[in-house]
Amino acid sequence: MYHIDWPTKARKQLNRFPRSDQKRLVLAVDEWSGLPNARNVKALTGHCYGYRLRVGDCRVLFDVDTVVRIIGIQEVRKRDGNTY
């Protein structure tokens, strides 16, 4: 099981979403039991963050430290032309 780290920047971005979306995003992040089997997770190439999680029209951008088993949430954004 990975520990989920929510830095201040990601928490502020999450708080800008409506309450229903916030709950859906947090539940999707908490459901991760292991990164290799996670649904809707894609490795990003040519991007400053390593992975993204798709939750409806929202995206959670994050990095993973497999040695310490920490998932660091970096950004939470609404999907648009500038998300990636």
Side-chain angles (χ1 to χ4, degrees):
M1 187 111 180
Y2 285 83
H3 172 74
I4 309 295
D5 179 35
W6 287 87
T8 304
K9 176 183 175 183
R11 274 188 260 143
K12 284 182 180 180
Q13 290 174 339
L14 181 66
N15 288 335
R16 292 184 189 133
F17 285 91
R19 282 271 191 237
S20 60
D21 288 343
Q22 289 179 25
K23 289 180 182 179
R24 194 168 48 123
L25 287 163
V26 171
L27 283 174
V29 169
D30 287 342
E31 285 179 359
W32 295 338
S33 60
L35 188 63
N37 300 324
R39 293 179 14 196
N40 297 325
V41 172
K42 182 177 179 181
L44 299 175
T45 56
H47 196 273
C48 59
Y49 305 122
Y51 299 90
R52 69 105 170 115
L53 169 68
R54 183 175 62 90
V55 182
D57 61 348
C58 302
R59 301 298 183 264
V60 179
L61 304 171
F62 62 96
D63 290 321
V64 177
D65 186 344
T66 56
V67 176
V68 186
R69 300 183 64 86
I70 293 177
I71 295 175
I73 307 297
Q74 302 300 323
E75 290 190 33
V76 181
R77 295 175 152 185
K78 193 91 151 163
R79 175 70 166 107
D80 63 10
N82 297 323
T83 302
Y84 301 118

